[in-house]
Amino acid sequence: MPATGLCFLSTFPPIAQVPAQLSPPPGRLCCCLPHPCCALTRFAGSVGQAGLCGRLGQAGWATGNPGRIPRSSVGDGNLQEPGRRGGEHTMATPLEDVGKQVWQGALFLADYILFRRDLFQGRTVLELGAGTGFASIVAATMAQTVYCTDVGADLLAMCQQNIALNTHLAAAGGGVVKVRELDWLKDKLCTDPEVPFSWSEEDISDLYDHTTVLFAAEVFYDDDLTDALFRTLCQLSRRLKNACTALLSVEKRFNFTLRHLDVTCEAYDHFRSSLHALEKLSDGKLRFVVEPVEASFPQLLIYERIQHLELWKIIAEPIT
């Protein structure tokens, strides 16, 4: 194993690497993904290299069974280390498994997190729709507290295991990652202690009193869920004690629809409409400033930064 750097154990060649100096020695980022359709199975560095990589599990954690990587997860599939052959690809992914993958937009967002260390250093931050927990793990290398949230006991258990494998990264900076359920379709956080990954009153107080950054990657594929996320974003912004910044990563995907008999990008168009509506929203107490983030920040992870990858910044600030 490398002595420094962020590293995932992998049975595949790498598609992403992070320089060793970005993590405290000995820094080893370990992550397991349970489904054969996982971009992270090739995520950065085979055994013996510094970098990030994922290990595949066919029916559970880290079984090492090789699987197929969906083209939709990795752009055009040309994401391999120079001189090494890429893996096989499939053209589609079951909808129920989208949260068990690391999409290109998450790598794009992670690059920005690593670039904007000042935004995360020593802060309390919240990831919405965390999926595998990858972006939360990256944020935890500098943030004080990361709330890694999603829905579904199996998905949250996967986050928990990934984070448990990487506690040394957060601990080196004195940070902590807390996996919690946050359902965008519900107005209140679950506080039932009998429910796995529920919130304590202490968690909720800390969340509302200290959170300054919200972030989400590649969660805009269903219009109803997009609406729910923006409602959640508004509700959280109003409850937070401090002004906050939200970072939203999205890939503009084109699909042929029978309704239009043409290639469209309806999910993306709805996302953009939601951004526009948010910018116009005002209750006299809070305003939302929406702006695109130029993709000129350094690319530390190795992936194809296609032009359809976008990052949007939303600043929620009180009206004075």
Side-chain angles (χ1 to χ4, degrees), residues 181-195:
E181 179 184 274
L182 200 161
D183 190 338
W184 308 339
L185 300 177
K186 297 178 180 178
D187 291 333
K188 295 183 179 180
L189 301 175
C190 178
T191 57
D192 185 349
E194 300 297 319
V195 176

Side-chain angles (χ1 to χ4, degrees), residues 5-9 27-31 52 134 137 166 168-169:
L6 304 175
C7 177
F8 287 54
L9 297 178
R28 198 180 64 184
L29 182 59
C30 306
C31 185
L52 297 170
F134 169 70
I137 292 171
N166 296 284
H168 55 288
L169 293 176

Side-chain angles (χ1 to χ4, degrees), residues 217-289:
E218 294 277 34
V219 295
F220 307 103
Y221 54 87
D222 176 270
D223 290 355
D224 290 337
L225 289 179
T226 295
D227 292 341
L229 181 138
F230 275 94
R231 283 196 302 270
T232 299
L233 184 64
C234 288
Q235 290 170 356
L236 286 172
S237 299
R238 292 188 175 100
R239 293 169 183 170
L240 296 182
K241 184 177 180 180
N242 301 301
C244 70
T245 298
L247 301 171
L248 306 179
S249 173
V250 63
E251 181 177 342
K252 185 177 182 179
R253 290 187 172 88
F254 295 85
N255 298 286
F256 181 84
T257 63
L258 291 176
R259 183 169 58 149
H260 296 95
L261 293 178
D262 199 1
V263 175
T264 64
C265 47
E266 290 185 289
Y268 172 81
D269 291 341
H270 188 77
F271 166 74
R272 289 296 303 271
S273 296
S274 299
L275 281 178
H276 181 71
L278 182 67
E279 195 170 25
K280 299 297 182 183
L281 185 64
S282 176
D283 59 2
K285 297 180 180 179
L286 199 67
R287 65 177 178 182
F288 297 90
V289 179

Side-chain angles (χ1 to χ4, degrees), residues 8-28:
F8 287 54
L9 297 178
S10 177
T11 56
F12 284 86
I15 62 168
Q17 293 183 336
V18 173
Q21 63 267 26
L22 290 180
S23 70
R28 198 180 64 184

Side-chain angles (χ1 to χ4, degrees), residues 56-215:
L56 178 66
Q58 175 72 26
W61 285 88
T63 65
N65 291 326
R68 296 173 180 265
I69 302 167
R71 187 180 299 271
S72 60
S73 296
V74 292
D76 64 2
N78 296 322
L79 301 180
Q80 65 252 13
E81 185 183 27
R84 300 188 69 169
R85 187 175 179 180
E88 294 182 73
H89 299 261
T90 56
M91 293 299 291
T93 302
L95 185 61
E96 64 270 18
D97 292 320
V98 295
K100 297 178 180 179
Q101 301 172 52
V102 174
W103 299 86
Q104 273 202 138
L107 305 180
F108 189 50
L109 176 59
D111 263 340
Y112 189 74
I113 291 173
L114 291 168
F115 171 63
R116 287 298 309 271
R117 299 182 70 89
D118 60 303
L119 196 60
F120 289 81
Q121 194 72 51
R123 304 297 182 88
T124 297
V125 303
L126 167 70
E127 181 174 14
L128 297 163
T132 65
F134 169 70
S136 286
I137 292 171
V138 173
T141 63
M142 59 203 82
Q144 177 176 319
T145 303
V146 179
Y147 287 99
C148 175
T149 71
D150 213 312
V151 292
D154 59 336
L155 193 58
L156 292 169
M158 181 178 67
C159 285
Q160 187 67 70
Q161 185 165 355
N162 284 337
I163 289 159
L165 288 168
N166 296 284
T167 52
H168 55 288
L169 293 176
V176 63
V177 184
K178 298 183 178 182
V179 178
R180 297 292 183 266
E181 179 184 274
L182 200 161
D183 190 338
W184 308 339
L185 300 177
K186 297 178 180 178
D187 291 333
K188 295 183 179 180
L189 301 175
C190 178
T191 57
D192 185 349
E194 300 297 319
V195 176
F197 307 105
S198 61
W199 297 74
S200 68
E201 294 300 330
E202 182 181 359
D203 289 335
I204 295 175
S205 295
D206 179 55
L207 175 74
Y208 292 153
D209 288 348
H210 300 114
T211 298
T212 56
V213 180
L214 313 176
F215 56 101

